[in-house]
Amino acid sequence: YLQVDPRFSLHWQVLKPLQFHFSISRMSQQLHLLTNSDSGFPSDLWVPSTSKIKPQRSWILDAGLRWTVKKYWSISTSAYYKKMRDLINYIDGTTFLVSNTDVLNSTDWEEKVTVGSGLSKGLELLVKRESEGSMALLSYTLSESSRQFDAINNGNRFPFRYDLRHVLNVAYTKRLNSNWWISGSWRINSGSRINIALNEWEYVRQNGNPDFIYQNFGEKNSFQLPSYHRMDVSANYKKKKTRGSWSVDFGVYNVYNQRNIFFIKSDYNPRIQSLGYTSVSLIPLLPYFSLNVSI
């Protein structure tokens, strides 16, 4: 595929403390991301463009302001709009796995996907204080990301799995002396979107015998997982030598051991013929350590 991707960028110093930027660009990508939206273990697969699957394309508009409040303080705000086409998604009821196995099948995956479009838009705010020995920032993003495929959800637009409506980040880095740095960060965001049965009902014959269980999944990706949040802290020691240098990094991931939901496991109970769900969390409080030597 021959791609032509024009780009335009404008930066304007409106006033000494105020800057304005605007950009518009057309982007093409030969790789496609296939994401499942069911309640099981999430899998993101990258597949290439082929003679049947065109490269995905997008137009991106971005505009914003940056205001230097004082010597060390700055406030930035921006808005973006991204229109995508030639995206692919699994057709409802299909999977990339060989039937009844956990083996990936790369021979007929093109027949299991459908082509559609996407839309992402949002507002971003960044407050930052940066000096020679420290840096602190607070960022917030309000965004929306959706997809539309004729063969999915009756052709209606639906939220993308990673439609994280609200994202808040707080970070701080401090230089204690010529050798030591410490840092910490905290993040919270809205939960991702998945497919899960919202309710179920049982069909009973006229003679009173149960026949089948019907599950209502509602609209595509209509169930939202709980909010995700965690805190990380770290310290870094670096020592320069006549020849090279060495450094030590250590810290703690997920300091307060937040059990964020990674995926939801379905459990069918044959005794009562009912389907239940259990949330699964990964990576609890996790200390880490690394030693780097440069010669």
Side-chain angles (χ1 to χ4, degrees), residues 164-168 187-192 225-229:
L164 308 180
R165 191 60 49 89
H166 304 279
V167 179
L168 177 67
R187 173 190 174 100
I188 182 170
N189 59 253
S190 302
S192 57
L225 293 175
S227 299
Y228 174 101
H229 58 93

Side-chain angles (χ1 to χ4, degrees), residues 112-151:
K112 299 180 179 181
V113 300
T114 181
V115 180
S117 62
L119 177 65
S120 294
K121 54 186 177 181
L123 299 171
E124 298 177 335
L125 173 67
L126 172 65
V127 180
K128 188 175 182 180
R129 186 190 188 279
E130 189 171 15
S131 62
E132 184 177 349
S134 67
M135 187 276 293
L137 66 82
L138 182 148
S139 67
Y140 169 73
T141 302
L142 172 65
S143 63
E144 180 181 3
S145 184
S146 60
R147 299 290 187 267
Q148 192 277 323
F149 298 88
D150 292 339

Side-chain angles (χ1 to χ4, degrees), residues 177-236:
N177 52 45
S178 59
N179 301 115
W180 281 98
W181 287 83
I182 59 172
S183 62
S185 63
W186 183 72
R187 173 190 174 100
I188 182 170
N189 59 253
S190 302
S192 57
R193 303 277 188 155
I194 63 171
N195 285 336
I196 195 172
L198 305 179
N199 50 62
E200 64 181 24
W201 55 272
E202 184 179 35
Y203 178 78
V204 181
R205 294 180 178 273
Q206 291 182 351
N207 59 9
N209 294 327
D211 194 348
F212 62 87
I213 301 294
Y214 174 81
Q215 292 182 326
N216 173 30
F217 285 83
E219 294 287 314
K220 178 80 169 178
N221 290 351
S222 57
F223 186 85
Q224 185 175 25
L225 293 175
S227 299
Y228 174 101
H229 58 93
R230 78 168 199 270
M231 177 182 288
D232 306 328
V233 295
S234 64
N236 171 267

Side-chain angles (χ1 to χ4, degrees), residues 35-101:
T35 303
N36 71 330
S37 299
D38 57 27
S39 60
F41 191 90
S43 63
D44 291 343
L45 300 172
W46 290 96
V47 293
S49 300
T50 66
S51 58
K52 295 181 180 180
I53 305 297
K54 297 180 180 179
Q56 53 183 320
R57 300 171 182 177
S58 67
W59 279 99
I60 307 173
L61 284 82
D62 176 73
L65 292 168
R66 184 177 186 273
W67 180 33
T68 304
V69 183
K70 292 184 178 180
K71 183 178 180 181
Y72 300 120
W73 288 87
S74 64
I75 299 176
S76 303
T77 180
S78 63
Y80 67 90
Y81 184 91
K82 182 178 182 180
K83 184 71 173 179
M84 297 162 279
R85 63 187 181 95
D86 294 324
L87 303 180
I88 62 174
N89 200 92
Y90 290 111
I91 299 174
D92 287 341
T94 62
T95 177
F96 202 35
L97 300 177
V98 179
S99 300
N100 301 320
T101 71

